[in-house]
């Protein structure tokens, strides 16, 4: 009996590292996906990773991508030396936000007395430069347009989301970049899927819906065919 137990323990010691190594090797062979964006993308990325488990390795840029100015400063660092197969990216909600240093609202938001982070003209110019740099990676690129700005948002003007998305659409058309229309998706969300009145963030149910659409776009770009049936429910 002791002999059998010893053999079993030895086999476990041999097989477990081997299986773990095989699992890591399989993951290394999967397509690599980078998601770049603000806190909304940080919240939906785990849902995307779950949807694409076994189909792609999903990473988010380190930290919050904030606005296009931050993107220009940190993009090379986020891309690193990795060969990314797909990069799904977004900037916008931070760019169109008004902030004031004396505001007591979270994020110092203040659309009455605050200063706009990035003008519409500068946003378009910044995006043009960011897309040009992203194209140098040879990754398949997916632009996610800006999610909806709800009524009573403290630092953002309702309707600016549409204007900034129109500017972004011009850049994506110029460069031939696929757009994931998250604005149209989130515009359909009922009030109980937002994280409170006037909040640009969502409940987990909302983030799950966004993650589903992001995963579908990534799979379509990877395989160039509809993939609804392949997505985990």
């Amino acid at each position: 009996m002791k002999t059998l137990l010893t053999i079993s323990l030895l086999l476990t010691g041999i097989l477990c590292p081997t299986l773990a190594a095989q699992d890591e090797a399989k993951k290394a062979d999967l397509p690599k996906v980078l998601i770049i964006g603000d806190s909304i993308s940080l919240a939906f990325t785990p849902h995307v990773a779950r949807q694409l488990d076994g189909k792609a390795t999903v990473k988010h840029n380190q930290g919050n991508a904030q606005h296009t100015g931050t993107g220009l400063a940190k993009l090379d660092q986020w891309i690193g030396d990795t060969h990314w197969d797909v990069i799904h990216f977004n900037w916008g909600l931070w760019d169109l936000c008004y902030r004031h240093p004396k505001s007591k609202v979270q994020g110092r938001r203040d659309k009455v007395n605050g200063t706009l982070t990035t003008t519409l003209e500068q946003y378009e110019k910044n995006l043009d430069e960011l897309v040009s740099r992203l194209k140098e990676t040879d990754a398949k690129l997916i632009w996610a347009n800006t999610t909806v700005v709800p009524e009573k948002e403290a630092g953002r003007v309702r309707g600016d989301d549409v204007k900034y998305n129109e500017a972004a659409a011009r850049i994506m058309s110029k460069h031939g970049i696929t757009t994931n229309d998250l604005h149209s998706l989130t515009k359909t969300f009922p009030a109980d899927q937002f994280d409170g009145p006037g909040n640009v963030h969502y409940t987990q149910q909302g983030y799950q819906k966004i993650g589903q659409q992001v995963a579908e776009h990534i799979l379509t770009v990877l395989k160039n065919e509809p993939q609804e049936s392949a997505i985990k429910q």
Side-chain angles (χ1 to χ4, degrees):
M1 190 68 178
K2 289 183 178 180
T3 302
L4 288 174
L5 180 60
T6 301
I7 293 173
S8 177
L9 291 171
L10 286 171
L11 287 173
T12 300
I14 293 170
L15 290 175
C16 285
T18 302
L19 292 172
Q22 289 175 349
D23 186 51
E24 287 301 315
K26 286 179 182 178
K27 288 181 180 180
D29 290 337
L30 292 174
K32 294 179 175 60
V33 176
L34 175 63
I35 295 176
I36 296 174
D38 57 23
S39 57
I40 290 176
S41 65
L42 281 165
F44 70 62
T45 293
H47 295 286
V48 178
R50 183 183 66 82
Q51 299 284 337
L52 299 183
D53 185 29
K55 300 178 181 71
T57 300
V58 179
K59 302 290 184 183
H60 192 282
N61 70 274
Q62 185 175 4
N64 189 318
Q66 299 181 345
H67 51 79
T68 51
T70 303
L72 290 172
K74 296 187 176 182
L75 186 62
D76 293 338
Q77 174 187 330
W78 294 336
I79 293 169
D81 297 326
T82 301
H83 173 74
W84 300 103
D85 295 281
V86 176
I87 299 178
H88 182 283
F89 64 105
N90 166 262
W91 289 275
L93 282 180
W94 274 63
D95 290 275
L96 59 82
C97 188
Y98 291 79
R99 302 182 193 271
H100 191 282
K102 293 185 179 180
S103 172
K104 295 182 180 180
V105 178
Q106 189 274 333
R108 303 297 183 191
R109 291 170 293 144
D110 185 345
K111 64 185 176 186
V112 177
N113 301 305
T115 301
L116 181 62
T117 302
T118 312
T119 65
L120 189 59
E121 180 182 10
Q122 190 62 51
Y123 176 72
E124 190 165 350
K125 289 174 64 177
N126 287 355
L127 269 185
D128 194 19
E129 183 176 343
L130 284 161
V131 171
S132 296
R133 289 165 65 175
L134 284 167
K135 288 172 72 174
E136 294 174 1
T137 66
D138 291 327
K140 294 179 180 180
L141 304 178
I142 304 172
W143 164 252
N145 64 8
T146 298
T147 50
V148 69
V149 172
E151 293 182 11
K152 300 180 181 179
E153 213 286 342
R156 298 172 174 94
V157 177
R158 187 171 171 84
D160 278 359
D161 46 343
V162 175
K163 295 176 183 177
Y164 278 66
N165 279 339
E166 288 172 348
R170 290 192 289 269
I171 298 302
M172 302 311 145
S173 177
K174 171 184 174 181
H175 290 279
I177 305 300
T178 297
T179 295
N180 179 7
D181 189 2
L182 295 184
H183 187 271
S184 291
L185 173 67
T186 53
K187 195 174 180 179
T188 67
F189 283 8
D192 62 4
Q193 288 181 9
F194 287 84
D195 194 19
N199 198 320
V200 296
H201 297 93
Y202 304 94
T203 63
Q204 282 305 308
Q205 185 180 7
Y207 284 125
Q208 185 175 3
K209 287 184 178 180
I210 297 172
Q212 175 84 15
Q213 183 162 305
V214 172
E216 288 174 354
H217 273 72
I218 291 169
L219 276 180
T220 299
V221 166
L222 281 172
K223 298 185 178 181
N224 294 316
E225 60 185 14
Q227 293 294 326
E228 284 89 353
S229 61
I231 300 290
K232 287 188 175 182
Q233 299 300 325

